[in-house]
Amino acid sequence: MINISRPQIGEEEKAAVLKVLESGQLAQGPRVQEFEEKFAQWTDTKYAVATSSGTAALHVALLAHGIGLGDEVITTSFSFIASANCVLYTGARPVFADIEPDYFMLDPRKIEAKITSKTKAIIPVHLFGQMSDMDPIAELAAKYNLTIVEDACQSHGARYNGKKVGAWGTACYSFYPTKNMTTIEGGMITTNDPKIAEQARLIRNHGSPKRYLHEIVGFNFRMTDLQAAIGISQLAKVDRWNEQRKKNAVTLTAGLNNIPGVHPPLVRPGSEHVFHQYTVRVTQRDAALEKLSHKGIGVGVYYPIPIHAQPLYKKMGYQDHLPVSDAASLEVLSLPVHPALSQYELDTIIDAVRSLAE
Ligand SMILES: Cc1ncc(COP(=O)(O)O)c(C=O)c1O
């Protein structure tokens, strides 16, 4: 079986975890602070605030920007549920705009029609390791005075026109085990705004600037030193892993060209795709899924049901018509691209996909 992801936990991570266990300081402490400082440096941002998950990072970031009851936030329906649920947690309403057919991300041309007097923010989701079309999105945000919260949970290290994730405002990352780097569970918020960083730190820790003093309603969304120790080790390797993901993607695309009904992923001109997922479009997706699984290829479908069509959202009365998102959910298929793949495994994946056309 060639798994769709294979988390890389090496001797450095094991040693770092042991050191924390032996230190007696297990919960949020010096390792979290060190991880935050190193992550801010790596993303060229001023502040980084670690959280217990990517979902918590998004939730805290929206609250730190003052998003709440009565507000609307525009995002994509073609994402993991957390990209929209984070808006619900604040009391605001997620509003979905359709996606670009080529890259599966928010289509800037579809956003303006969704803006109302209640719109406060846009959450572009940088899906599969590639960034949303940030220039036109940033133009709209400036025109209507909207906050941008980048959902970078799948795009550690990606770039758009030479700029890194996080250059447009507040960005949120996930370190779930399948991601380009992991802390097992964990998340991070980056920002250049000291007030947003301060507010995020308060919200993450029960609104508490110091022990047993509570200024606002907050949560326990803290990261532990154990997780941060793993994160520090992973951060030292993620650039190398991203390079390997990119090389694997080049190999896959070269091998998968000209197969009828199979369309390899496109890379947006001027952008650097870090291939969290290698997602092809396949006309007979479900048949391909079954055949590839049968051959031992760990395939995934991200995402089979767009968020607006989830039972939860239907119950809330959502009746969006988002034809590009709906079509994508029927045709996407992700193949293994992780950095631990051998040449033999890459060849096996290519042969298996080529055999679909036989
Ligand atoms: C696009 C996107 N947003 C948000 C999240 C939530 O991150 P987490 O699973 O760390 O809560 C994920 C990860 O699963 C994701 O892929």
Side-chain angles (χ1 to χ4, degrees), residues 201-239:
R201 288 186 204 287
L202 275 182
I203 297 165
R204 164 184 70 176
N205 187 26
H206 280 300
S208 176
K210 66 178 190 184
R211 198 171 270 239
Y212 304 123
L213 178 73
H214 304 277
E215 291 178 344
I216 54 171
V217 175
F219 301 84
N220 174 359
F221 285 155
R222 297 183 300 263
M223 181 182 272
T224 66
D225 262 19
L226 272 182
Q227 293 162 291
I230 297 173
I232 292 164
S233 304
Q234 295 263 308
L235 191 58
K237 305 181 210 177
V238 67
D239 285 328

Side-chain angles (χ1 to χ4, degrees), residues 11 57-58 81-82 88-89 117 128 217 279 284 303 354:
E11 293 309 314
L58 287 162
I81 191 91
L88 293 179
Y89 305 151
S117 59
F128 302 147
V217 175
T279 303
Q284 302 289 325
Y303 294 89
R354 294 210 78 86

Side-chain angles (χ1 to χ4, degrees), residues 53-55 58 79-80 82-83 125 151 153-154 174 176 179 186 303:
S53 69
T55 306
L58 287 162
S79 183
F80 182 59
S83 304
V125 180
D151 181 340
C153 287
Q154 301 188 4
S174 163
Y176 188 72
K179 301 296 196 263
Y303 294 89

